[in-house]
Amino acid sequence: QVELVESGGGSVQAGGSLRLSCTASGYAGRRFPTTYSMAWFRQAPGTEERERVACIENGGTTEYADSVKGRFAISIDNANYTAFLQMNSLRPEDTAMYYCASDSLCWILPDKYNYWAQGTQVTVST
């Protein structure tokens, strides 16, 4: 069983930066996962949809939502099964609950991901 533990988040003024991290436990003991992905989704207040913000596969391939390109950067430390989401130039519209998710590939839809972290709140004020 894979478990994800997420940290980071908080409150920041517009233009500021935050860094999220997500560590997966359970992959190390497996004989094969040859590929795995780490992604962040966000769910804005009052909405039910989770939007994929960024995703990275352990080979290094990255994908970003258009709304965060050039501002957010996702990276991965494969030795420690940890992913990082560096968020710069934050805007009030980035305010949301951010969830780390993991699976074999960078799926677009949240239903495809088998493993989820507990979520962390990011609040950007004007």
Side-chain angles (χ1 to χ4, degrees):
Q1 181 70 16
V2 174
E3 294 185 355
L4 304 180
V5 176
E6 185 175 10
S7 62
S11 297
V12 66
Q13 288 190 324
S17 299
L18 286 172
R19 188 192 198 205
L20 307 182
S21 65
C22 181
T23 298
S25 62
Y27 280 131
R30 293 186 172 188
R31 190 172 180 182
F32 301 109
T34 56
T35 64
Y36 70 97
S37 67
M38 303 282 276
W40 264 276
F41 286 78
R42 65 185 179 187
Q43 186 169 351
T47 68
E48 293 186 1
E49 287 190 7
R50 291 187 181 184
E51 171 197 19
R52 197 189 70 175
V53 173
C55 186
I56 187 167
E57 294 178 357
N58 61 327
T61 302
T62 59
E63 298 177 6
Y64 294 94
D66 288 343
S67 58
V68 306
K69 282 181 181 176
R71 300 189 298 122
F72 290 12
I74 191 168
S75 59
I76 196 164
D77 173 2
N78 284 314
N80 294 297
Y81 296 94
T82 298
F84 304 94
L85 183 67
Q86 179 66 42
M87 304 184 292
N88 299 324
S89 301
L90 282 162
R91 305 167 179 169
E93 54 264 38
D94 294 318
T95 295
M97 184 70 80
Y98 283 70
Y99 296 92
C100 173
S102 183
D103 204 85
S104 56
L105 296 172
C106 277
W107 310 109
I108 293 176
L109 297 178
D111 291 350
K112 292 281 194 177
Y113 290 80
N114 280 303
Y115 308 111
W116 290 85
Q118 75 281 8
T120 187
Q121 179 67 38
V122 170
T123 301
V124 184
S125 58
T126 56

